[in-house]
């Protein structure tokens, strides 16, 4: 069962079919592989090239913070990082070879990896959610409240592992200032008061702070609506640097990566309609 979206804290029983969709199954969030080893490899070749992180970062077109996170084994490298690093550092193919083994992330369900990797280099990400606050916008206490309600219950260690994975993904909002993030959230997500008054107040303050970022747009869909284009349920859309579009749907026991252009077109139509139906970003801030 999904409690918190983003393929975290999910028990997946099997793949799901559907028009233009690919499902991936995994019985539990998968363990950490060799992120630290990969980071050490990158650092060793960077030092061999006599480059500091500050010098290396612009050469591979990533921030210094991203380079530091990768070298410390705290962040999964973006899809094109290994190729860029290999070219800059002349690493004899070692970096690209090591990257091939980085297929799993701690705290992420197996079927979510493909979408998570696409997020790392996306030009734009669009999310509509009617079940819970999306993972990228959650506070730690809100996430803990979600995980505390999960059945079968999680251990304290599982909760902390999955919370850390979610907080790592949340860095996208600030680490990728050129990526446009758009969220449409149902008003009842806040009215539910999950976790209590203090958790909800902190959540509102946090989302208001995020809405100040130039690359983040947050709109609220009011409870009372005569027309609503999102009645099919939650969805996400993503545009790659190659201007390809993908969709992602997440249910209780599976995730679907959607690739069919006809299906994507329908999602884009619904998303555009919801943006006009929801409160503007400014009105949404006032409501919050």
């Amino acid at each position: 069962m999904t409690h918190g979206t983003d393929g975290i804290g999910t028990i997946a029983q099997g793949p799901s079919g559907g028009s233009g969709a690919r499902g991936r199954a995994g019985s539990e969030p998968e363990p950490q592989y060799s992120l630290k080893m990969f980071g050490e490899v990158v650092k060793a070749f960077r030092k061999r090239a006599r480059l500091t992180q500050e010098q290396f970062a612009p050469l591979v077109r990533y921030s210094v913070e991203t380079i530091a996170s990768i070298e410390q084994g705290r962040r999964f490298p973006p899809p094109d990082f290994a190729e860029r690093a290999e070219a800059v550092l002349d690493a004899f193919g070692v970096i690209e070879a090591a990257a091939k083994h980085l297929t799993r992330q701690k705290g992420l369900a197996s079927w979510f990896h493909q979408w998570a990797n696409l997020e790392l280099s996306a030009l734009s990400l669009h999310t509509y959610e009617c079940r819970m606050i999306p993972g990228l916008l959650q506070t730690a206490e809100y996430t803990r409240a979600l995980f505390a309600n999960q059945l079968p219950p999680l251990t304290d260690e599982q909760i902390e592992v999955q919370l850390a994975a979610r907080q790592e993904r949340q860095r996208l909002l600030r680490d990728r200032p050129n990526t446009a993030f758009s969220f449409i959230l149902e008003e009842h997500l806040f009215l539910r008061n999950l976790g209590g008054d203090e958790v909800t107040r902190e959540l509102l303050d946090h989302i208001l702070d995020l809405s100040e970022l130039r690359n983040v747009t947050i709109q609220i869909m009011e409870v009372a609506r005569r027309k609503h284009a999102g009645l099919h349920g939650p969805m996400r859309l993503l545009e790659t640097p190659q201007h390809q579009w993908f969709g992602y749907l997440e249910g209780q026991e599976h995730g679907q990566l959607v690739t069919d252009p006809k299906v994507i077109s329908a999602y884009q139509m619904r998303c555009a309609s919801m943006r006009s139906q929801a409160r503007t970003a400014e009105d949404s801030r006032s409501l919050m």
Side-chain angles (χ1 to χ4, degrees):
M1 179 177 292
T2 300
H3 276 287
T5 72
D6 305 338
I8 303 175
T10 304
I11 297 176
Q13 303 297 335
S16 172
S19 176
R22 296 202 296 270
R24 301 183 64 191
S27 60
E28 61 184 18
E30 297 193 359
Q32 179 81 357
Y33 269 45
S34 51
L35 282 179
K36 290 187 177 180
M37 182 63 71
F38 179 80
E40 289 295 331
V41 169
V42 173
K43 182 166 65 174
F45 277 101
R46 175 180 59 77
K47 289 186 174 181
R48 173 180 172 271
R50 298 183 179 179
L51 294 172
T52 65
Q53 289 181 345
E54 290 75 13
Q55 293 169 327
F56 179 51
L59 297 177
V60 290
R61 302 194 297 282
Y62 285 103
S63 68
V64 176
E65 291 76 14
T66 297
I67 301 302
S69 293
I70 291 172
E71 290 190 356
Q72 293 165 15
R74 294 189 293 106
R75 174 168 181 165
F76 201 87
D80 53 359
F81 174 81
E83 182 180 356
R84 295 182 189 179
E86 188 72 46
V88 170
L89 300 177
D90 190 20
F92 312 107
V94 174
I95 293 177
E96 288 185 300
K100 292 178 182 178
H101 299 282
L102 298 176
T103 58
R104 301 170 179 174
Q105 291 173 274
K106 188 176 184 179
L108 296 184
S110 59
W111 39 259
F112 188 67
H113 294 149
Q114 194 168 7
W115 180 262
N117 286 337
L118 288 170
E119 284 182 328
L120 294 174
S121 58
L123 294 179
S124 62
L125 282 159
H126 307 272
T127 300
Y128 165 64
E129 186 55 73
C130 59
R131 303 165 302 171
M132 63 204 73
I133 300 299
L136 288 175
L137 301 179
Q138 293 174 10
T139 62
E141 292 308 311
Y142 181 88
T143 302
R144 286 194 176 95
L146 291 173
F147 288 154
N149 281 278
Q150 181 158 325
L151 295 173
L154 297 174
T155 66
D156 290 345
E157 181 181 0
Q158 287 174 317
I159 289 175
E160 292 308 311
V161 166
Q162 293 168 27
L163 173 61
R166 178 152 303 167
Q167 290 176 323
E168 177 64 24
R169 285 192 59 252
Q170 290 171 350
R171 294 168 59 92
L172 283 172
L173 298 177
R174 299 184 186 276
D175 284 357
R176 295 196 57 79
N178 296 120
T179 298
F181 295 89
S182 172
F183 299 90
I184 300 174
L185 311 177
E186 290 289 345
E187 182 182 6
H188 69 252
L189 299 181
F190 301 97
L191 299 177
R192 182 174 291 139
N193 202 31
L194 187 72
D197 292 345
E198 288 300 320
V199 171
T200 300
R201 275 195 289 267
E202 181 188 32
L203 178 70
L204 283 166
D205 288 342
H206 176 67
I207 293 179
L208 282 169
D209 287 343
L210 292 176
S211 71
E212 296 281 2
L213 298 175
R214 289 193 300 274
N215 62 325
V216 176
T217 300
I218 298 172
Q219 294 180 257
I220 303 298
M221 185 74 79
E222 292 179 290
V223 171
R225 286 288 320 171
R226 293 186 62 184
K227 295 182 179 181
H228 196 315
L231 300 180
H232 291 79
M235 65 175 177
R236 302 183 213 181
L237 286 167
L238 175 153
E239 183 183 8
T240 72
Q242 294 74 38
H243 305 293
Q244 294 176 296
W245 284 87
F246 293 92
Y248 180 74
L249 307 176
E250 188 169 278
Q252 290 198 9
E253 299 176 348
H254 59 267
Q256 296 178 337
L257 181 68
V258 183
T259 60
D260 188 328
K262 292 183 180 179
V263 179
I264 295 295
S265 178
Y267 292 174
Q268 290 173 321
M269 189 182 306
R270 294 170 192 168
C271 191
S273 182
M274 281 192 289
R275 280 197 292 267
S276 67
Q277 294 169 344
R279 282 180 173 247
T280 66
E282 293 77 12
D283 285 348
S284 295
R285 283 182 53 82
S286 297
L287 181 62
M288 287 190 284

